[in-house]
Amino acid sequence: INKETDEYDVHFVEIVRSTKQLAWTLKVRGRGCNFDITNSCNRSNTDGWKAYSIERFYDGPLIYDIRCQEGKSLNFATHNTFKFNSPYPGRAVWMANDDTLLADL
């Protein structure tokens, strides 16, 4: 916490992993907090804005860490459009450029 964020009830930021640069920020003003006074920002205090776990929602699943092994298998990591607390069944479909179905897993 620094002096810039002291005056906001909630301050969200996103950092670009590859460059470590700020992608965007959102600062929500409310009654604010005084970090020099004990308990002024106590978690049990119900005044103002609070956020527990913010996350981003996507238009489609995220697919990354794609690897082709010896031309025989395709491996990748994926996440749904929003966070789940447990594994959830999924489906992978590969289509050719002409929309021919290549695989439906």
Side-chain angles (χ1 to χ4, degrees):
I1 296 175
N2 61 45
K3 290 298 179 189
E4 180 189 41
T5 59
D6 285 359
E7 62 186 281
Y8 300 96
D9 278 357
V10 181
H11 185 183
F12 305 113
V13 297
E14 181 179 359
I15 305 298
V16 178
R17 289 180 190 230
S18 61
T19 64
K20 308 287 190 260
Q21 298 295 311
L22 179 69
W24 62 268
T25 184
L26 171 66
K27 299 173 184 177
V28 180
R29 287 184 187 265
R31 67 174 182 78
C33 288
N34 182 347
F35 287 93
D36 297 328
I37 299 173
T38 305
N39 293 328
S40 68
C41 293
N42 190 322
R43 287 183 181 201
S44 63
N45 186 337
T46 58
D47 294 338
W49 289 82
K50 301 221 183 303
Y52 172 71
S53 176
I54 65 167
E55 61 188 84
R56 177 185 263 183
F57 288 76
Y58 297 91
D59 292 333
L62 300 178
I63 300 172
Y64 58 96
D65 197 18
I66 301 169
R67 299 175 311 278
C68 183
Q69 296 184 358
E70 299 177 14
K72 297 180 181 179
S73 67
L74 179 66
N75 298 306
F76 59 91
T78 186
H79 288 90
N80 206 341
T81 56
F82 58 94
K83 182 171 67 175
F84 282 98
N85 290 329
S86 302
Y88 193 79
R91 178 177 166 210
V93 177
W94 277 267
M95 306 288 289
N97 288 339
D98 65 358
D99 291 333
T100 301
L101 178 64
L102 300 175
D104 188 349
L105 308 170

